[in-house]
Amino acid sequence: MKTAIFSTKYYEREYMDKANAATGHELTYFEIPLNIDTAVNATGFEAICIQLGDRIDKATITQLSAAGVRLIALRSAGFDNVDIEAAAQHNITVVRVPAYSPQAIAEHAVALILTLDRKTHKAYNRVRENNFSLHGLLGFNLFGKTVGVVGTGKIGRAFCSIMLGFGCRVIAYDIKESEEMKNKGIVYESLDYLLQNSDIISIHCPLNAGSRHLFDAGAFSRMKAGAMLINTSRGALLNTTDAIEALKKKQLGYLGMDVYEGEESLFFKDLSESVVQDDTIERLMSFNNVLITPHQAFFTIEALEQIAKITIGNFTAFENSEPLPNEVLL
Ligand code: NAD
């Protein structure tokens, strides 16, 4: 199948070509993102393959449909950047990679927790300058702490298992409770209870109308003073301006984020020679108890292999009119 792959990153091609070796789809790689301005490049392709940074709104869908596109394949789990309703109206099928390596994201959330807690990033830099002082490096034991998990889907469940291994008390909030997690000893509570009782909160629910800015001034005020919040899910799950106020008041004790509302103009780019225009992220970076990583939680060898394998499988299933288990339905 003739497929245009947009927003191709330097690290992706090797994995896609390897996964495609036995199948032989005709893949054309574009580094540019797909949006209304670049949609003309999709002309002549039956399928397009995109990333989260691509903006597939109603107008772009109309243009893609006119260009002959019949399949939109996301190389991600999230699909909040695609107007699914508009795609359905134009009879364009949308598929995604629902799970490629939940452990990759769960383990990164743990990396953020441990770094913020034990301050290994500070020690690394300090020791290299022959400063062996312990000043400012005091941490706390994870053992025995209460960890609140918002969203116990694939990633949340992997995260819960790791935190149980640390000897934490793990409580969770989800609109749909998991029997598997209950059997493992996870106790489901209301969001309010979770906010009030957790020493560490990790967000693993998707961004949707019900979860946008779930963590706002009201939520921060109900959290334990000095608690840690980790967001590896989607930036807009928290209101960043409110988070900054909570950090200034020391209500929020630590903030670890792999995602940021407005990350599209920053993440995956080297802006070290530029003047960053986003004052909010600059303010966030001024706090020594904030740790930001550039949406790298998924970035493991195992995850890249799985993303490529499942994406190629999605192309093949669509081309052969086979059932599409990874279809995004309205
Ligand atoms: P999933 O669909 O398996 O699980 C999501 C869970 O959230 C479900 O149990 C669902 O019931 C629950 N949920 C939905 N709305 C909720 C709400 N308002 N409040 C509480 N719970 C709610 O998804 P997943 O594979 O575990 O992924 C979770 C999220 O992680 C994705 O939506 C995506 O945003 C994010 N993600 C981030 C990265 C990264 O690299 N940082 C990579 C992949 C996924």
Side-chain angles (χ1 to χ4, degrees), residues 39 47 59-60 148 300 319:
T60 311
T300 66
E319 189 179 38

Side-chain angles (χ1 to χ4, degrees), residues 26 28-29 33 105 128 131 154 156 185 189 226 230 272 304:
E26 200 180 310
T28 303
Y29 294 97
I105 294 92
R128 286 160 68 92
N131 177 352
K154 293 172 284 296
E189 301 285 1
I230 302 294
S272 55
L304 293 182

Side-chain angles (χ1 to χ4, degrees), residues 52 76-80 96-102 104-105 108 149-157 173-178 188 191 203-212 214 231-235 237 258-259 263 268 294-299:
L52 273 173
S76 62
F79 51 87
D80 37 272
R96 64 178 179 134
V97 181
Y100 37 91
S101 179
I105 294 92
H108 191 75
V149 182
V150 178
T152 51
K154 293 172 284 296
I155 297 169
R157 290 201 295 274
Y173 165 72
D174 196 307
I175 50 172
K176 202 170 147 224
E177 301 183 358
S178 153
Y188 281 92
L191 180 60
I203 314 176
H204 298 291
C205 68
L207 176 65
N208 53 37
S211 64
R212 181 172 291 274
L214 189 64
N231 185 11
T232 54
S233 234
R234 283 292 172 271
L237 287 164
D258 186 52
V259 285
E263 67 181 52
F268 305 128
H295 209 137
Q296 71 180 78
F298 75 97
F299 199 47

Side-chain angles (χ1 to χ4, degrees), residues 267-286:
F267 286 8
F268 305 128
K269 296 179 183 140
D270 179 358
L271 301 177
S272 55
E273 309 267 307
S274 318
V275 176
V276 172
Q277 300 298 324
D278 186 326
D279 292 346
T280 308
I281 198 159
E282 294 298 315
R283 179 67 180 104
L284 273 176
M285 287 191 291
S286 73

Side-chain angles (χ1 to χ4, degrees), residues 7 19 53 57 79 87 106 117 126 174 176 178 192 248 270 291 297 325:
S7 295
D57 56 15
F79 51 87
D117 173 13
R126 198 186 271 189
D174 196 307
K176 202 170 147 224
S178 153
D192 244 12
K248 281 162 76 177
D270 179 358
L291 178 59

Side-chain angles (χ1 to χ4, degrees), residues 26-302:
E26 200 180 310
L27 308 182
T28 303
Y29 294 97
F30 292 95
E31 284 180 21
I32 50 165
L34 181 62
N35 52 44
I36 187 71
D37 300 323
T38 61
V40 67
N41 291 286
T43 307
F45 291 96
E46 194 180 348
I48 54 148
C49 185
I50 58 165
Q51 271 291 9
L52 273 173
D54 300 315
R55 290 277 131 228
I56 317 302
D57 56 15
K58 199 171 177 176
T60 311
I61 294 270
T62 307
Q63 203 159 324
L64 291 174
S65 174
V69 171
R70 303 266 48 94
L71 177 73
I72 297 175
L74 286 133
R75 307 198 289 290
S76 62
F79 51 87
D80 37 272
N81 56 327
V82 179
D83 188 330
I84 302 298
E85 207 174 322
Q89 279 163 6
H90 284 89
N91 205 21
I92 295 179
T93 303
V94 181
V95 288
R96 64 178 179 134
V97 181
Y100 37 91
S101 179
Q103 286 75 20
I105 294 92
E107 289 172 14
H108 191 75
V110 179
L112 293 177
I113 292 172
L114 285 171
T115 308
L116 281 166
D117 173 13
R118 305 306 295 266
K119 302 161 184 71
T120 43
H121 58 312
K122 287 185 192 170
Y124 173 80
N125 286 318
R126 198 186 271 189
V127 168
R128 286 160 68 92
E129 291 181 2
N130 295 324
N131 177 352
F132 301 99
S133 135
L134 293 182
H135 184 77
L137 299 184
L138 188 64
F140 58 85
N141 284 6
L142 288 180
F143 182 84
K145 292 291 181 299
T146 299
V147 176
V149 182
V150 178
T152 51
K154 293 172 284 296
I155 297 169
R157 290 201 295 274
F159 177 78
C160 286
S161 299
I162 300 172
M163 298 321 287
L164 286 173
F166 274 103
C168 296
R169 171 186 171 229
V170 183
I171 59 174
Y173 165 72
D174 196 307
I175 50 172
K176 202 170 147 224
E177 301 183 358
S178 153
E179 288 306 315
E180 178 200 333
M181 284 295 102
K182 283 187 194 171
N183 293 336
K184 280 196 170 178
I186 309 298
V187 179
Y188 281 92
E189 301 285 1
S190 66
L191 180 60
D192 244 12
Y193 181 94
L194 183 144
L195 291 171
Q196 286 167 22
N197 291 279
S198 301
D199 301 296
I200 298 167
I201 296 176
S202 195
I203 314 176
H204 298 291
C205 68
L207 176 65
N208 53 37
S211 64
R212 181 172 291 274
H213 290 183
L214 189 64
F215 283 79
D216 59 4
F220 291 127
S221 70
R222 299 203 296 286
M223 280 170 65
K224 260 185 164 180
M228 181 188 291
L229 180 64
I230 302 294
N231 185 11
T232 54
S233 234
R234 283 292 172 271
L237 287 164
L238 64 98
N239 180 321
T240 316
T241 313
D242 291 355
I244 289 171
E245 283 311 306
L247 284 160
K248 281 162 76 177
K249 287 187 208 144
K250 299 191 178 170
Q251 173 63 16
L252 188 55
Y254 309 80
L255 176 62
M257 36 199 277
D258 186 52
V259 285
Y260 169 68
E261 189 173 15
E263 67 181 52
E264 293 82 0
S265 60
L266 302 167
F267 286 8
F268 305 128
K269 296 179 183 140
D270 179 358
L271 301 177
S272 55
E273 309 267 307
S274 318
V275 176
V276 172
Q277 300 298 324
D278 186 326
D279 292 346
T280 308
I281 198 159
E282 294 298 315
R283 179 67 180 104
L284 273 176
M285 287 191 291
S286 73
F287 295 99
N288 64 12
N289 51 354
V290 172
L291 178 59
I292 302 171
T293 53
H295 209 137
Q296 71 180 78
F298 75 97
F299 199 47
T300 66
I301 293 163
E302 292 81 0

